[in-house]
Amino acid sequence: MSMDTEMERATFRSLSRSRAMFVSEYGKRPSEEYSAPTKLACKKLSEYDSVLHMEPPSTLQRKKKEKTSVIGPQTSKAKASSSSTSSADTSDKSLALVLQNTASKTKASSALVLHGKGDKPMTKELAMAMKAPIMPKPQWHPQWKLFRSISGHSGWVRSLAVEPKNQWFVSGSSDRTIKIWDLASCTLKLTLTGHISAVRGLEVSPRHPYLFSAGEDKMVACWDLEQNKIIRKYHGHLSAVYALKLHPTIDVIFTGGRDGTVRVWDMRTAKQVHCLSGHTGTVASLEASEVDPQVISGSHDSTIRLWDIRNAKTLSILTNHKKSVRALCKHPQESTFVSGGADNIKQWYLPKGKFIQNLTGHNAIINSLAVSPSGVMVSGSDNGVINFWDYRTGYRFQQLDAIAQPGSLDCESGVYDMVFDKSYSRLLTAEADKTIKIYKEDPKSTEETHPVNWKPNVVRRSRF
């Protein structure tokens, strides 16, 4: 009897025992004794949260009676003492008492109206804080248009990277080649061969003349751009490598792939420093930061993990996504990042990964994200749709459909990767029609020709 057969029998035996144990309770609703308080607490929190701090009406009426009872004896004493005086004085004093009583009532009612949280009086700031949040007006951004389409690869273009001096960029493709292009003239400068499968990740070092590549052949390579050849290989992944990132300040490389691990490599010695395990699916995207969390990973198990590379452990796990997380992008100036999957795009605060908001608008798998310091976020999906968003408010101000080059199939319109150049004036996209497309801002677009179609609706953000 094989080991697999024994495992199957043990599994089914465990299932049958569990069913026999709980079958009598199947279909029964929880008793009202336990469920009623929970329902009531949830209803209070969801519907009456804004008035829970206020006192009940019975307490307010009792306080009002106490105040009137305090004023009553004073009124009777005043009347008794004024019996020997003239009728004019009596009328003046009674009028003064009436005014005093009215003033006290008005003061008490104003105290009730101007009552904030706790014992603090209501102020303008407190009133604005208790008001339902309204979406701020989005910043106007110019429209983007296709500037140039570059052909040269014979397979899907899967990855892009721009050189730190903004003079050239590099592309990796399913045709197993790496091509270096001049950014100004868009002419081919060099073709590198060495991978035996699709190239899925590229990074150019800002401190060394090195180019790093990762592919589906399980290989992570370091290319010397002075000699145009591979000088180091990083062996350790058990399957295809889908993501590659460089640490911004130290000589460390991060890679992730189908084996569900994030591996940390020493750039110079090619030795593995850490193997960060915890994901149960393919690691499809990575982001690196100078401070903790220094690595952020997105996986096909629908989770995002923030890692502590000093102790090789997880800082936090974000489980808000319901589908695979295939794209991550960190804001170049703020402590925030965005993640994209087949469900939607989500924004997060760093370092703890606090959820900000959802951005919905795609009806396909999101493969790539890019963010500029001016507040423009771009997302590309499997169906060739490119959306441009205002990063702060989540307002989509433009939508483009990638046009497949002549001779391509209609289905070959997916966007697999995108990156801004170092001046953030050009957007480069890697697409399934074997081309690299460059987009620029349209100089003819103005606030009059393309106004912001914005309505100040009440924000009803999802909690997840």
Side-chain angles (χ1 to χ4, degrees):
M1 186 183 297
S2 66
M3 184 64 71
D4 293 340
T5 308
E6 291 182 3
M7 288 295 294
E8 288 179 2
R9 288 188 176 180
T11 302
F12 284 119
R13 193 181 303 118
S14 176
L15 288 173
S16 63
R17 288 175 179 173
S18 300
R19 185 180 181 280
M21 183 181 297
F22 296 106
V23 69
S24 61
E25 303 291 333
Y26 183 77
K28 287 186 178 179
R29 298 183 63 182
S31 63
E32 292 294 328
E33 181 182 356
Y34 299 103
S35 62
T38 306
K39 291 179 183 177
L40 184 60
C42 292
K43 186 172 182 179
K44 282 182 179 179
L45 189 62
S46 62
E47 297 184 14
Y48 305 106
D49 185 39
S50 59
V51 296
L52 281 177
H53 64 279
M54 297 180 66
E55 296 179 353
S58 59
T59 308
L60 298 178
Q61 292 177 0
R62 181 170 50 80
K63 287 184 177 181
K64 190 181 293 186
K65 288 180 179 179
E66 290 176 357
K67 289 185 178 182
T68 55
S69 64
V70 169
I71 296 172
Q74 294 178 357
T75 307
S76 59
K77 287 180 182 179
K79 287 182 179 178
S81 62
S82 62
S83 58
S84 60
T85 60
S86 64
S87 61
D89 294 339
T90 306
S91 61
D92 290 341
K93 286 184 180 181
S94 61
L95 181 61
L97 289 172
V98 169
L99 290 173
Q100 182 182 359
N101 194 9
T102 308
S104 64
K105 287 183 179 180
T106 307
K107 195 176 292 183
S109 62
S110 63
L112 292 174
V113 172
L114 301 177
H115 189 275
K117 290 188 176 181
D119 295 330
K120 296 180 180 179
M122 179 66 72
T123 61
K124 185 178 180 181
E125 289 76 13
L126 278 175
M128 292 300 292
M130 293 175 64
K131 188 180 177 182
I134 297 177
M135 174 181 165
K137 185 175 181 179
Q139 178 186 351
W140 181 85
H141 299 282
Q143 300 287 295
W144 290 67
K145 67 176 183 177
L146 179 63
F147 171 68
R148 185 166 290 176
S149 182
I150 307 170
S151 301
H153 282 288
S154 58
W156 295 349
V157 186
R158 302 305 301 255
S159 53
L160 291 170
V162 179
E163 185 253 345
K165 295 182 180 179
N166 214 34
Q167 296 178 354
W168 49 268
F169 68 94
V170 60
S171 61
S173 170
S174 296
D175 61 6
R176 302 168 294 178
T177 63
I178 300 170
K179 294 184 182 290
I180 297 176
W181 310 82
D182 184 74
L183 190 55
S185 62
C186 298
T187 56
L188 180 64
K189 299 178 69 174
L190 186 66
T191 299
L192 302 174
T193 57
H195 283 277
I196 59 174
S197 190
V199 181
R200 298 294 296 267
L202 290 170
E203 285 287 329
V204 184
S205 174
R207 298 181 299 276
H208 313 288
Y210 295 157
L211 167 69
F212 296 90
S213 63
E216 294 180 0
D217 52 4
K218 302 185 284 187
M219 185 174 73
V220 181
C222 174
W223 301 78
D224 188 341
L225 295 176
E226 294 176 347
Q227 306 177 42
N228 297 331
K229 67 177 185 180
I230 297 176
I231 58 172
R232 296 185 196 94
K233 292 183 180 179
Y234 305 84
H235 296 286
H237 276 284
L238 307 177
S239 191
V241 186
Y242 284 171
L244 169 69
K245 277 293 175 181
L246 294 181
H247 195 283
T249 55
I250 60 178
D251 293 340
V252 165
I253 313 168
F254 306 109
T255 57
R258 285 185 61 189
D259 56 4
T261 62
V262 178
R263 297 178 188 265
V264 186
W265 308 89
D266 187 341
M267 184 187 295
R268 295 187 174 276
T269 63
K271 290 184 178 179
Q272 180 177 295
V273 181
H274 291 304
C275 179
L276 308 177
S277 58
H279 284 294
T280 58
T282 300
V283 178
S285 52
L286 290 173
E287 267 298 326
S289 177
E290 301 168 356
V291 295
D292 285 334
Q294 297 183 47
V295 194
I296 307 169
S297 60
S299 171
H300 287 187
D301 61 6
S302 307
T303 64
I304 301 168
R305 286 179 179 258
L306 313 181
W307 299 92
D308 175 12
I309 63 171
R310 293 186 185 87
N311 302 314
K313 66 178 184 180
T314 304
L315 290 174
S316 58
I317 306 172
L318 312 180
T319 59
N320 298 43
H321 277 284
K322 302 299 182 289
K323 300 290 181 68
S324 301
V325 182
R326 297 172 182 262
L328 292 173
C329 187
K330 187 177 177 294
H331 194 283
Q333 293 179 348
E334 299 178 4
S335 294
T336 58
F337 74 98
V338 287
S339 60
D343 46 0
N344 50 31
I345 302 170
K346 297 180 185 293
Q347 283 185 353
W348 314 86
Y349 282 119
L350 288 174
K352 295 184 178 181
K354 182 183 176 182
F355 175 73
I356 303 175
Q357 64 178 346
N358 281 323
L359 284 74
T360 57
H362 279 285
N363 294 319
I365 297 172
I366 298 169
N367 291 319
S368 53
L369 293 167
V371 182
S372 73
S374 62
V376 175
M377 187 183 76
V378 194
S379 56
S381 60
D382 257 355
N383 59 356
V385 174
I386 301 174
N387 283 337
F388 294 82
W389 312 80
D390 179 55
Y391 187 83
R392 183 173 63 93
T393 61
Y395 169 74
R396 182 177 62 184
F397 65 89
Q398 187 181 3
Q399 182 174 1
L400 291 176
D401 291 326
I403 303 171
Q405 68 171 342
S408 300
L409 301 174
D410 291 338
C411 61
E412 291 183 323
S413 58
V415 180
Y416 288 129
D417 196 10
M418 60 174 53
V419 63
F420 282 103
D421 70 343
K422 299 306 176 183
S423 65
Y424 295 96
S425 61
R426 287 168 288 192
L427 175 70
L428 287 72
T429 61
E431 304 194 4
D433 63 349
K434 307 168 190 175
T435 64
I436 303 159
K437 292 186 174 67
I438 300 179
Y439 294 85
K440 277 187 173 183
E441 292 182 353
D442 187 0
K444 296 181 181 179
S445 66
T446 61
E447 293 192 45
E448 288 75 23
T449 58
H450 297 87
V452 175
N453 185 18
W454 170 76
K455 296 178 182 179
N457 295 327
V458 175
V459 178
R460 293 181 180 177
R461 292 178 179 171
S462 171
R463 294 180 64 187
F464 305 103

Coordinates of all heavy atoms in Angstrom, one line a residue, residues 194-198 214-220 239-241:
G194 N 21.3 34.7 -22.4 CA 21.8 33.9 -21.4 C 20.7 33.2 -20.6 O 21.0 32.1 -20.1
H195 N 19.5 33.7 -20.6 CA 18.4 33.0 -20.0 C 17.9 31.9 -21.0 O 17.9 32.1 -22.2 CB 17.3 33.9 -19.6 CG 17.6 34.7 -18.4 ND1 17.4 34.2 -17.1 CD2 18.1 36.0 -18.2 CE1 17.7 35.1 -16.2 NE2 18.2 36.2 -16.8
I196 N 17.3 30.9 -20.4 CA 16.7 29.8 -21.3 C 15.2 29.8 -21.1 O 14.6 28.9 -21.6 CB 17.3 28.4 -20.9 CG1 17.1 28.1 -19.5 CG2 18.8 28.4 -21.3 CD1 17.5 26.7 -19.1
S197 N 14.6 30.8 -20.5 CA 13.2 31.0 -20.4 C 12.9 32.4 -20.3 O 13.8 33.3 -20.4 CB 12.7 30.2 -19.2 OG 11.3 30.1 -19.2
A198 N 11.6 32.7 -20.1 CA 11.1 34.1 -20.1 C 11.8 34.9 -19.0 O 12.0 34.4 -17.8 CB 9.6 34.2 -19.9
A214 N 16.0 38.2 -13.6 CA 15.4 37.0 -13.0 C 14.5 36.4 -14.0 O 13.8 37.1 -14.7 CB 14.7 37.2 -11.7
G215 N 14.4 35.1 -14.1 CA 13.6 34.4 -15.2 C 12.9 33.2 -14.7 O 13.1 32.7 -13.5
E216 N 12.1 32.6 -15.6 CA 11.4 31.4 -15.3 C 12.2 30.2 -15.3 O 11.8 29.1 -15.0 CB 10.2 31.3 -16.3 CG 9.1 32.3 -16.1 CD 8.0 32.2 -17.1 OE1 8.1 31.2 -17.9 OE2 7.1 33.0 -17.1
D217 N 13.5 30.3 -15.6 CA 14.5 29.2 -15.6 C 15.1 29.0 -14.2 O 16.2 28.4 -14.1 CB 15.5 29.4 -16.7 CG 16.2 30.8 -16.6 OD1 15.9 31.5 -15.7 OD2 17.0 31.1 -17.5
K218 N 14.5 29.7 -13.2 CA 15.0 29.6 -11.8 C 16.3 30.3 -11.6 O 16.9 30.2 -10.5 CB 15.2 28.2 -11.3 CG 13.9 27.3 -11.4 CD 14.1 26.0 -10.8 CE 14.8 25.1 -11.8 NZ 14.9 23.7 -11.3
M219 N 16.8 31.1 -12.6 CA 18.1 31.8 -12.5 C 17.9 33.2 -12.2 O 17.1 33.9 -12.8 CB 18.8 31.6 -13.8 CG 20.3 32.1 -13.8 SD 21.2 31.7 -15.2 CE 20.5 32.9 -16.4
V220 N 18.8 33.7 -11.3 CA 18.9 35.1 -11.0 C 20.4 35.5 -11.4 O 21.3 34.9 -10.8 CB 18.7 35.5 -9.5 CG1 18.8 36.9 -9.3 CG2 17.3 35.0 -9.1
S239 N 11.9 27.0 -8.2 CA 11.0 27.1 -9.3 C 11.2 28.5 -10.0 O 12.2 29.2 -9.6 CB 9.5 26.9 -8.9 OG 8.7 26.8 -10.1
A240 N 10.3 28.9 -10.9 CA 10.5 30.1 -11.6 C 10.5 31.3 -10.7 O 9.8 31.3 -9.7 CB 9.3 30.2 -12.6
V241 N 11.3 32.3 -11.0 CA 11.4 33.5 -10.3 C 10.6 34.6 -11.0 O 10.9 34.9 -12.2 CB 12.9 34.0 -10.2 CG1 13.0 35.2 -9.3 CG2 13.8 32.8 -9.6

